[in-house]
Amino acid sequence: MTQFRQIAAAPIFAVLMMALAIGLPLAPRAQAAERERIEAFLATTGFDVALDSIAFASSSAPEMLGIDPGAFGQSWTRTVDDVFDTEVMRGIALDILEQTLSDEALNHAVEFYASDLGQRLVEAENASHMIEDDAAKQEEGKAIVAELVRDGSDRVETLKRMNAAIDASGTSLRALQEIQLRFLMAASAAGVIELKVGPEEMRAMMQANEGAMRSALQMSALAGAAYTYQDFTDAEVAAYTEALEQPPMQEVYELLNAVQYEIMANRFEVLAARMADLHPAQEL
């Protein structure tokens, strides 16, 4: 599964989470796929590895709160490993997808990703997901983009199309803002930090910087794609982009992005509550 950004797929996900919360039966979107097939789907598409890589984002949590990331010592590592347990995150994904992923969408995605090209793409994407040093990956990706631009390659525009297909609704920025906001509010409620402004004021401050943040996200996504798919031919990258632009694949990505967004936001809220039990001074 291609390089994920956390996308708040609002229409589908708002209805989904409300139904799950109050225990209403969900109308099948064609027919919901059974759990065993979804587990195989996650492995075939590489979404299982994409979920596992969410844990890497936890490294930014203390900095978002203005806390020295090394202040918690080994207790931080233990807490992160517990909160971002891969089995827990995969279980949440399975619970949601079991009730929402249609057979048509599942079969369409599996057919592509099970192909020779699809499996090579998944292998490259899985390797990219599991690189913890994102800064180094970004620098190498930017260098690749710069070289492509100098050569006048059409590949840059193809990669931009690919990223647009992944975030067809264009809501990745708002999703990242919401994750940060939910984390800050949870940390405040747990007594980890004291906020001087309310959620609406924080949203307003985030919106004021949206232009610059959106540009930064687009540049980051382009560099990430350039790095991940550097060993593929232009024709293969174009074929992948066209596959991602197909309506059934768009349905898959809308749902999977929403699932990953909710898992990330949920885990950060749990992490904020757990941070209240950590004692930096005792670990220094």
Side-chain angles (χ1 to χ4, degrees), residues 124-140:
E125 290 161 359
N126 286 352
S128 183
H129 277 307
M130 299 312 292
I131 295 175
E132 294 191 50
D133 190 351
D134 189 65
K137 182 169 69 175
Q138 280 288 307
E139 286 304 311
E140 187 169 343

Side-chain angles (χ1 to χ4, degrees), residues 259-277:
V259 168
Q260 190 172 14
Y261 156 70
E262 178 57 26
I263 291 173
M264 189 173 186
N266 172 273
R267 293 295 87 192
F268 265 80
E269 287 177 326
V270 172
L271 180 63
R274 292 284 297 274
M275 288 178 73
D277 298 325

Side-chain angles (χ1 to χ4, degrees), residues 141-269:
K142 289 176 182 177
I144 294 172
V145 171
E147 183 176 355
L148 291 172
V149 171
R150 284 196 302 270
D151 294 342
S153 173
D154 293 334
R155 190 183 182 97
V156 174
E157 291 305 315
T158 305
L159 292 174
K160 288 180 180 179
R161 276 178 53 205
M162 177 189 292
N163 287 333
I166 297 167
D167 184 14
S169 56
T171 53
S172 59
L173 174 58
R174 290 296 176 86
L176 294 174
Q177 290 174 335
E178 193 65 21
I179 289 169
Q180 184 176 13
L181 181 61
R182 285 173 61 172
F183 177 56
L184 291 172
M185 296 304 297
S188 176
V192 177
I193 59 171
E194 182 178 350
L195 294 176
K196 297 181 179 180
V197 296
E200 294 308 315
E201 291 174 283
M202 283 192 285
R203 283 195 176 92
M205 288 188 289
M206 290 177 179
Q207 289 174 5
N209 295 319
E210 276 189 3
M213 291 179 65
R214 182 172 287 106
S215 295
L217 279 176
Q218 290 172 345
M219 291 177 62
S220 175
L222 181 60
Y227 174 88
T228 301
Y229 307 110
Q230 59 184 302
D231 293 330
F232 292 85
T233 67
D234 289 348
E236 288 171 333
V237 172
Y240 192 20
T241 299
E242 291 171 4
L244 292 171
E245 291 173 338
Q246 296 302 308
M249 197 74 91
Q250 291 283 291
E251 177 187 337
V252 169
Y253 269 83
E254 180 185 18
L255 182 56
L256 294 185
N257 285 329
V259 168
Q260 190 172 14
Y261 156 70
E262 178 57 26
I263 291 173
M264 189 173 186
N266 172 273
R267 293 295 87 192
F268 265 80
E269 287 177 326

Side-chain angles (χ1 to χ4, degrees), residues 20-115:
L20 290 176
I22 63 179
L24 292 177
L26 287 162
R29 308 186 70 203
Q31 179 180 355
E34 60 270 23
R35 197 175 188 88
E36 293 77 12
R37 291 182 64 210
I38 294 175
E39 289 178 325
F41 162 82
L42 295 182
T44 301
T45 60
F47 188 59
D48 53 353
V49 176
L51 287 174
D52 295 348
S53 68
I54 289 176
F56 295 153
S58 65
S59 62
S60 65
E63 294 175 350
M64 276 195 279
L65 303 179
I67 300 173
D68 179 1
F72 296 113
Q74 289 301 312
S75 62
W76 173 255
T77 301
R78 290 191 296 269
T79 299
V80 167
D81 289 345
D82 186 37
V83 172
F84 291 91
D85 181 85
T86 57
E87 291 303 315
V88 171
M89 293 191 293
R90 292 188 187 190
I92 296 172
L94 287 169
D95 288 343
I96 298 174
L97 293 173
E98 190 176 12
Q99 300 186 61
T100 56
L101 182 61
S102 70
D103 282 336
E104 179 186 2
L106 181 150
N107 292 334
H108 182 88
V110 168
E111 182 178 358
F112 175 80
Y113 283 108
S115 68

